[in-house]
Amino acid sequence: MSADPILAADAAQAPATAVELIGVNKWYGDFHVLRDINLTVKRGERIVVCGPSGSGKSTMIRCINRLEEHQRGKIVVDGIELTNDLKRIDEVRREVGMVFQHFNLFPHLTILENCILAPTWVRKMPRKEAEDLAMHFLAKVKIPEQAGKYPGQLSGGQQQRVAIARALCMRPRIMLFDEPTSALDPEMVKEVLETMVSLAEDGMTMLCVTHEMGFARQVADRVIFMDAGQIIEMNEPNAFFSNPQHERTRLFLSQILH
Amino acid sequence: MDVSAPPAGTPASFVSPGMIAPEPAPISTRGPIAWSRAHLFGSPFQIILTLFGLAVIYVVVPPVLRFFIFDAVFTGTGRNACLPEVIGRPVGACWPFIGAKFNQIVYGFYPEAERWRVNLVYLIGVVLLAPLMIQKVPYKRLNALLFFGAYPVAAYVLLTGGNLQLRGFLLSWVGLGPLVTTIGQAIGFSTGFWPDYVISALLVAAIAAAAAPVFAGSRKGAAKTALGAFVILGVVLAAVDINFGLPWVETRVWGGMLVTLVIAVTGIVASLPLGILLALGRRSQMPLVRIASTLFIEFWRGVPLITVLFFATYMLPLFLPGRFTIDGLLRALVGVALFASAYMAEVVRGGLQAIPKGQYEGAQALGLPGGLMMRLVVLPQALKLVIPGIVNNFIGLFKDTTLVLIVSIFDLLGVLRAAFTDPAWATPTTVVTGFGFAGLFYFVFCFGMSRYSMALEKRLDRNRRH
Ligand SMILES: Nc1ncnc2c1ncn2[C@@H]1O[C@H](COP(=O)(O)OP(=O)(O)OP(=O)(O)O)[C@@H](O)[C@H]1O
Ligand SMILES: [Mg+2]
């Protein structure tokens, strides 16, 4: 499969370090969700995050585009440090695409309108150009023919692919995925994973919370295991699956890989 | 070959032997007989309800028709036409009464020579509103701008006559009044006012530019925004300041449908945007904004509209310094608009609460700043959800305008009641005829709003699969 020219060009321009988390801590009230998270993601790197429910995976990647606020430590995204400065937050969000478990498409807009909304209003792109770009990415996720429909008229798998296309239309340098396939019927998981694989082949920097271990083996550069708000183990996929170091990791893998 | 039935003799199979061709539904489930069996006479309870309904129709409809149509008098020039003892038959509604008072009902005591101005306002309103309500007509943005921006100003100038005397508020206070020359007087410009206005515009723009960096804005942008606001306000003020040569018509002589529609339309048009702002304010992260919005909403919801009107009309003048005299109708208008916006705010808030968190997150993750997120993603969905509630408020407001009667503003009901006292039309059925007519008027408008909102909902619902 040939690489996407737009994505490849964008990827080449990104700084060498995409995301940096240094000593990040977060509390919900008294509950310590993230404990001393340290993580550096290089440009073009694909990272899969796994771990038991409630371990803080979502919280961690949502801190990267400030959907959640961290209370201690430092997060630098694409060279911009996240602080309370709203301008910087918007700047980071423009460079970071996110795909959610429940798609979060805008139900009152058509697929095409969903895709051009942010490029036209945030990037001030002319409408025609935004539409062309949207059609390009809708073709990439293989549903250009649905452009005029509303999200409610699409299957779950199609909606999730639209969500990916919508995020790509902002030409992000980093993509975050929070369990993108766990709300889907099994036969739709494959089509979404294929889209994500092709994105990885284009050199997109990706942080992906998922329990699809096949996907992790195929595309991940590193797999991270989290438990109780900490990164317990981090390794390249082969070593991670064949030789987990930590007792918790072994237990988790034995449960998930049956 | 008929594939749907197995040949005689073969044992019944559980598996269909071939594709079954579609057949028409059995006759017993179609047609008027089946329909009435299903909807009117399905069960004993249904039968009782049907009979009860028929009885109600029998009791109510014929007398109403008899009174308003069959026994009604349609022509005549005075009370004698509607007196049973004069015309020698039972008399229903006395429609000539409405005909004779029609001008009063429509215009109140608006001077006859100037009534074309009212008609023009009605006409422009219809011409601007109709294409706004029909989806297919293009140029919605321009249309909305004209209806919500230019129309109120034009209507104000036409109805009152414009040519306000705007007072200076800066130079004259520091003793520079005489400096201002009298060039503008010929075309009716308030010469004391405009130099002051320009000076304050520049001052505010300068302050905005100076303060902009504190709020992380650009100096140029802040100054531009401030000047822009002053220019728009200036255009409006100029429009009401210019002397178009229209005689001044006091609002005291307005009346009838004119007043009812002015109050209702102002209330409706002002309450929606104000309500949206208040609803957003009540959900704001900033405690001051939230508390202010909450207090405002709870205050206006907590007092009866009659109290508001009384206060605005009879108490407010006592508190304001003598220099400020605000028109009586305007005071009522403001009272009604604020009252309605508090109710509207709660309706809109209900809609906002129904929008899932994921919609906010989806918008934020795309980099949409808060204002755009609200405008493009959250509000369109929230408002669509609460269209029934919004229209409910509009309808309630439309009918509540009748309360202005209490503060001596003669709306439709007010002029009717004044007309009832006319001895030339004193007949036993005058009052019922008048109220019947008023009821019809209110019903037409309210029912119209209701139907339009239902059509709107249906149209906006196309994007739902279920
Ligand atoms: N807004 C919140 N307020 C309080 N606690 C929260 C909030 N959001 C999450 N938590 C708690 O923080 C912990 C981590 O949540 P998080 O969603 O990051 O887990 P996760 O690893 O993504 O789990 P899952 O696999 O179930 O999605 C959980 O115990 C959760 O209950
Ligand atoms: Mg999660």
Side-chain angles (χ1 to χ4, degrees):
Chain A
M1 188 181 163
S2 67
D4 186 288
I6 297 179
L7 292 181
D10 286 351
Q13 287 178 357
T17 304
V19 181
E20 207 170 10
L21 288 85
I22 304 165
V24 171
N25 280 271
K26 174 169 178 63
W27 289 262
Y28 281 124
D30 282 337
F31 177 54
H32 201 168
V33 240
L34 294 182
R35 309 181 188 180
D36 271 326
I37 302 282
N38 287 293
L39 174 67
T40 305
V41 183
K42 294 197 287 292
R43 180 217 302 169
E45 215 178 0
R46 272 89 61 174
I47 293 190
V48 163
V49 182
C50 62
S53 180
S55 57
K57 309 177 296 287
S58 300
T59 309
M60 183 180 78
I61 72 161
R62 287 157 61 86
C63 278
I64 294 173
N65 66 352
R66 256 286 158 140
L67 289 184
E68 302 287 351
E69 197 177 317
H70 63 286
Q71 276 113 27
R72 205 164 70 202
K74 192 169 152 183
I75 300 180
V76 184
V77 181
D78 210 41
I80 306 163
E81 184 180 350
L82 279 170
T83 61
N84 277 326
D85 185 352
L86 286 178
K87 254 184 163 169
R88 279 200 212 180
I89 294 174
D90 282 336
E91 224 171 297
V92 165
R93 285 176 179 164
R94 282 199 289 269
E95 304 304 332
V96 178
M98 183 153 189
V99 176
F100 300 86
Q101 183 175 4
H102 296 288
F103 330 136
N104 296 355
L105 294 176
F106 307 133
H108 62 302
L109 300 177
T110 63
I111 301 307
L112 188 65
E113 287 165 346
N114 262 280
C115 290
I116 66 170
L117 186 78
T120 49
W121 285 93
V122 179
R123 290 241 192 259
K124 313 273 182 229
M125 199 182 278
R127 195 185 163 96
K128 180 81 188 58
E129 194 183 321
E131 281 179 2
D132 290 346
L133 189 69
M135 290 313 293
H136 172 85
F137 285 122
L138 285 174
K140 182 177 171 60
V141 301
K142 305 207 176 69
I143 35 176
E145 72 283 357
Q146 311 282 6
K149 288 195 183 166
Y150 287 93
Q153 298 167 315
L154 268 54
S155 75
Q158 289 174 322
Q159 289 191 51
Q160 193 59 298
R161 283 183 285 152
V162 170
I164 294 174
R166 180 177 76 174
L168 290 178
C169 283
M170 280 297 280
R171 316 260 308 255
R173 291 173 165 177
I174 300 154
M175 284 286 283
L176 308 175
F177 295 83
D178 190 0
E179 309 207 25
T181 56
S182 53
L184 298 177
D185 291 340
E187 74 264 35
M188 296 171 185
V189 169
K190 194 164 151 265
E191 61 189 49
V192 172
L193 287 180
E194 274 168 7
T195 309
M196 291 166 63
V197 169
S198 98
L199 206 55
E201 284 164 356
D202 293 325
M204 177 61 76
T205 311
M206 293 163 70
L207 260 123
C208 183
V209 177
T210 183
H211 293 152
E212 295 293 334
M213 291 306 149
F215 173 78
R217 270 185 221 274
Q218 191 183 347
V219 304
D221 296 309
R222 278 187 289 166
V223 180
I224 289 176
F225 178 75
M226 284 184 77
D227 191 20
Q230 303 169 60
I231 295 181
I232 289 191
E233 191 157 347
M234 167 152 49
N235 216 334
E236 52 93 19
N238 269 335
F240 181 86
F241 290 113
S242 58
N243 186 20
Q245 300 298 304
H246 210 277
E247 182 54 38
R248 269 307 276 127
T249 319
R250 250 171 266 155
L251 187 66
F252 177 75
L253 285 178
S254 72
Q255 277 165 356
I256 197 167
L257 295 175
H258 1 271
Chain B
M1 188 185 83
D2 181 8
V3 292
S4 62
T10 48
S13 162
F14 291 108
V15 180
S16 180
M19 295 306 286
I20 299 172
E23 289 176 58
I27 196 80
S28 60
T29 64
R30 293 176 295 150
I33 296 173
W35 185 88
S36 46
R37 197 183 305 150
H39 295 98
L40 297 176
F41 306 107
S43 66
F45 182 62
Q46 249 184 351
I47 294 172
I48 293 174
L49 275 185
T50 303
L51 291 178
F52 180 72
L54 287 175
V56 169
I57 291 172
Y58 177 75
V59 170
V60 172
V61 174
V64 167
L65 289 181
R66 197 177 319 130
F67 183 87
F68 284 105
I69 297 173
F70 301 126
D71 282 354
V73 174
F74 290 94
T75 53
T77 51
R79 67 191 290 259
N80 282 339
C82 298
L83 289 177
E85 54 271 29
V86 174
I87 61 169
R89 65 170 174 91
V91 168
C94 180
W95 293 118
F97 163 71
I98 299 292
K101 301 289 180 190
F102 195 73
N103 276 338
Q104 239 182 69
I105 290 173
V106 177
Y107 306 102
F109 303 98
Y110 208 91
E112 223 170 316
E114 305 296 327
R115 284 184 185 159
W116 62 270
R117 282 154 57 176
V118 180
N119 293 338
L120 190 58
V121 167
Y122 286 154
L123 183 74
I124 302 175
V126 171
V127 166
L128 287 178
L129 186 59
L132 200 59
M133 290 172 56
I134 302 167
Q135 194 203 6
K136 286 195 201 81
V137 183
Y139 303 116
K140 278 279 175 290
R141 191 176 289 240
L142 176 69
N143 198 174
L145 206 66
L146 285 176
F147 184 76
F148 294 107
Y151 180 58
V153 181
Y156 176 81
V157 171
L158 273 170
L159 291 176
T160 63
N163 193 15
L164 288 189
Q165 303 306 312
L166 301 173
R167 274 176 246 230
F169 53 94
L170 279 180
L171 297 181
S172 50
W173 278 27
V174 291
L176 292 175
L179 266 183
V180 181
T181 51
T182 53
I183 336 158
Q185 248 153 21
I187 48 166
F189 268 120
S190 308
T191 44
F193 173 81
W194 288 104
D196 290 1
Y197 187 79
V198 173
I199 292 168
S200 11
L202 294 175
L203 268 178
V204 170
I207 293 171
V214 181
F215 302 99
S218 81
R219 283 174 195 280
K220 224 172 153 187
K224 251 192 200 160
T225 314
L227 278 181
F230 268 96
V231 167
I232 293 172
L233 184 64
V235 170
V236 173
L237 288 174
V240 300
D241 187 14
I242 293 174
N243 183 3
F244 289 102
L246 297 172
W248 179 255
V249 181
E250 263 190 299
T251 58
R252 207 170 311 173
V253 299
W254 301 13
M257 277 182 203
L258 173 62
V259 160
T260 295
L261 288 175
V262 163
I263 299 175
V265 171
T266 313
I268 285 173
V269 169
S271 68
L272 188 58
L274 276 178
I276 291 173
L277 287 181
L278 284 169
L280 292 176
R282 194 166 186 172
R283 288 168 56 92
S284 164
Q285 308 272 335
M286 290 175 276
L288 252 169
V289 175
R290 189 172 58 239
I291 291 170
S293 308
T294 310
L295 282 178
F296 183 96
I297 293 170
E298 295 305 338
F299 172 78
W300 288 97
R301 282 204 310 173
V303 292
L305 183 54
I306 293 189
T307 316
V308 173
L309 292 172
F310 259 117
F311 186 86
T313 310
Y314 300 119
M315 312 272 288
L316 206 58
L318 302 181
F319 293 115
L320 290 175
R323 208 183 112 154
F324 294 96
T325 49
I326 307 173
D327 182 88
L329 181 63
L330 182 63
R331 272 177 289 179
L333 277 181
V334 172
V336 168
L338 295 182
F339 186 82
S341 60
Y343 276 87
M344 195 57 75
E346 287 300 281
V347 172
V348 174
R349 192 166 68 93
L352 289 173
Q353 268 167 351
I355 304 301
K357 210 166 138 237
Q359 291 292 308
Y360 292 86
E361 293 180 347
Q364 283 168 349
L366 285 169
L368 284 172
L372 282 180
M373 168 177 81
M374 280 297 168
R375 196 175 118 201
L376 301 171
V377 176
V378 178
L379 278 174
Q381 296 184 58
L383 291 178
K384 189 189 112 181
L385 278 176
V386 294
I387 288 175
I390 290 175
V391 173
N392 204 21
N393 269 14
F394 285 172
I395 289 175
L397 173 64
F398 194 88
K399 293 183 296 185
D400 278 353
T401 57
T402 49
L403 289 175
V404 296
L405 186 57
I406 307 248
V407 291
S408 317
I409 295 172
F410 284 83
D411 75 328
L412 181 74
L413 279 189
V415 291
L416 272 173
R417 291 182 54 157
F420 293 156
T421 59
D422 182 356
W425 285 99
T427 76
T429 58
T430 304
V431 171
V432 185
T433 308
F435 281 127
F437 176 79
L440 190 68
F441 169 82
Y442 285 102
F443 182 80
V444 165
F445 275 88
C446 296
F447 189 64
M449 284 194 267
S450 160
R451 299 310 297 186
Y452 179 71
S453 85
M454 283 167 79
L456 189 68
E457 268 178 74
K458 216 165 158 187
R459 195 176 85 208
L460 293 176
D461 229 27
R462 275 180 322 195
N463 56 5
R464 287 261 185 97
R465 187 161 49 162
H466 309 292

